[in-house]
Amino acid sequence: DPDSIAGKYTSFIFRSMAAEDRVFKGIAYNRAIENQAQAIAKTEVRQGLIKKDEIANRQKVLTQAPTEEMQAQAIHDADVLTFNNANPLATSFSNWQAQASKPAQVVSTLMVPFVRTPTNIVARMFEASPFGYAKNVGQVAKAVSGARSIQKASPETSFKEAVSKAFTVAEQRSFSQTFGRATIGTALLALGYALGKKGLASAIRNYDEMDDLSKIEADKVTGRTGGAVKIGGHWFQIANLPPGGALIALGATFARESEDTKKAGIWDRA
């Protein structure tokens, strides 16, 4: 209800974020159109549809008059880049909220006015880690299963042709993006762990540290903060820069936890 307290609260938050959100979405949309136009033009060269020296002109035409498919893909890409794409967790929450009682809807709306952004940030964090490879395995398994179904229906179709049909261009793109995120994210975790071991990255503070006033005061003197990296003798906080900064901070946190575990002698007792 737009006239309810929850409705007014959500509208206020949305208005304050809408302008900035539109700017970032517009930039992401235009970049996606340009990238697709370039890819299509190069593909047409390989297919012999246009000459190599016509790439720039073809790219310009596609950018100025993108196809409906290009626009749909660009909208999706813009949503992904701004953490606004639909995801199972956000959908489940919205479905629960729709069936909940009025008081529960008001409370949940006040507490979580936007569902997609935080859930997508969490999803990107998982993808930008070794867990991302698990998603890749699922994507490959789905493609292989689809290819076998195609071969079963048309025995004369080769496995390569069946995979090409089952593993669509969009799915291949999704696979590449997930693989790239997992690889880069895993490297960032490892970097954060190594920096944490050398004292060049600080771990995300836990509740015990927040209650330790002496440690907080000592950190103030050195300028050290939780979830930060040390560059040129100065500490810069990166934990609030997802997903890259957060992953480095998380790696440093793993390094701290491993040191705490060793000090506690847990491994020795195991």
Side-chain angles (χ1 to χ4, degrees), residues 15 58 160 187 198 202 225 231:
R15 283 196 300 271
R58 178 58 174 158
K160 184 177 180 180
K198 293 183 178 181
S202 61
T225 59
I231 302 174

Side-chain angles (χ1 to χ4, degrees), residues 28-41:
Y29 175 86
N30 290 332
R31 189 174 74 174
I33 290 292
E34 290 170 0
N35 288 341
Q36 288 185 81
Q38 184 181 50
I40 291 172

Side-chain angles (χ1 to χ4, degrees), residues 5 9 41 43 74 94 116 137 207 232 238 250-251:
I5 295 175
Y9 173 78
T43 299
S94 298
R116 287 186 177 182
V137 171
Y207 289 109
I238 58 171
L250 189 58

Side-chain angles (χ1 to χ4, degrees), residues 216-261:
I216 292 175
E217 289 302 320
D219 284 347
K220 283 183 179 179
V221 172
T222 60
R224 175 178 173 140
T225 59
V229 292
K230 190 176 184 180
I231 302 174
H234 299 284
W235 287 94
F236 299 91
Q237 192 171 57
I238 58 171
N240 58 349
L241 299 174
L247 287 167
I248 293 175
L250 189 58
T253 303
F254 289 150
R256 179 195 63 189
E257 293 302 318
S258 68
E259 286 297 319
D260 290 347
T261 300

Side-chain angles (χ1 to χ4, degrees), residues 29 33 36 40 44 58 61-74:
Y29 175 86
I33 290 292
Q36 288 185 81
I40 291 172
E44 289 179 349
R58 178 58 174 158
V61 170
L62 288 169
T63 300
Q64 294 177 343
T67 64
E68 290 186 5
E69 185 178 359
M70 288 175 64
Q71 293 178 57
Q73 185 62 54

Side-chain angles (χ1 to χ4, degrees), residues 42-81:
K42 289 182 177 180
T43 299
E44 289 179 349
V45 170
R46 289 195 295 269
Q47 294 174 341
L49 299 177
I50 62 173
K51 297 179 181 179
K52 197 170 183 179
D53 58 3
E54 296 177 323
I55 288 180
N57 185 58
R58 178 58 174 158
Q59 185 176 340
K60 182 179 179 181
V61 170
L62 288 169
T63 300
Q64 294 177 343
T67 64
E68 290 186 5
E69 185 178 359
M70 288 175 64
Q71 293 178 57
Q73 185 62 54
I75 290 171
H76 172 72
D77 289 348
D79 283 341
V80 169
L81 288 171

Side-chain angles (χ1 to χ4, degrees), residues 1-220:
D1 183 1
D3 294 323
S4 65
I5 295 175
K8 291 178 180 178
Y9 173 78
T10 303
S11 297
F12 172 76
I13 296 294
F14 179 78
R15 283 196 300 271
S16 66
M17 294 179 65
E20 183 179 1
D21 194 45
R22 282 197 296 270
V23 170
F24 283 116
K25 274 193 175 184
I27 294 172
Y29 175 86
N30 290 332
R31 189 174 74 174
I33 290 292
E34 290 170 0
N35 288 341
Q36 288 185 81
Q38 184 181 50
I40 291 172
K42 289 182 177 180
T43 299
E44 289 179 349
V45 170
R46 289 195 295 269
Q47 294 174 341
L49 299 177
I50 62 173
K51 297 179 181 179
K52 197 170 183 179
D53 58 3
E54 296 177 323
I55 288 180
N57 185 58
R58 178 58 174 158
Q59 185 176 340
K60 182 179 179 181
V61 170
L62 288 169
T63 300
Q64 294 177 343
T67 64
E68 290 186 5
E69 185 178 359
M70 288 175 64
Q71 293 178 57
Q73 185 62 54
I75 290 171
H76 172 72
D77 289 348
D79 283 341
V80 169
L81 288 171
T82 55
F83 303 104
N84 283 304
N85 59 294
N87 64 73
L89 187 57
T91 301
S92 297
F93 182 84
S94 298
N95 291 339
W96 168 82
Q97 197 175 43
Q99 297 174 6
S101 62
K102 277 289 182 182
Q105 289 179 1
V106 172
V107 172
S108 61
T109 301
L110 288 171
M111 293 181 66
V112 191
F114 299 101
V115 181
R116 287 186 177 182
T117 298
T119 53
N120 276 316
I121 289 175
V122 172
R124 298 293 186 283
M125 288 287 289
F126 272 100
E127 284 186 4
S129 73
F131 290 107
Y133 294 121
K135 183 177 178 180
N136 278 151
V137 171
Q139 290 170 322
V140 171
K142 181 182 177 183
V144 171
S145 177
R148 295 201 182 284
S149 296
I150 291 173
Q151 280 191 309
K152 190 175 181 180
S154 303
E156 70 280 1
T157 305
S158 68
F159 184 71
K160 184 177 180 180
E161 290 176 333
V163 169
S164 297
K165 292 179 180 179
F167 207 26
T168 65
V169 174
E171 289 172 334
Q172 292 175 35
R173 191 164 177 267
S174 177
F175 176 89
S176 299
Q177 290 175 337
T178 300
F179 184 84
R181 290 191 192 111
T183 302
I184 294 173
T186 301
L188 289 173
L189 282 170
L191 175 63
Y193 186 89
L195 292 174
K197 286 285 189 181
K198 293 183 178 181
L200 297 176
S202 61
I204 299 170
R205 282 180 173 153
N206 55 33
Y207 289 109
D208 292 337
E209 289 177 312
M210 291 179 180
D211 293 335
D212 190 343
L213 295 179
S214 61
K215 182 171 180 56
I216 292 175
E217 289 302 320
D219 284 347
K220 283 183 179 179

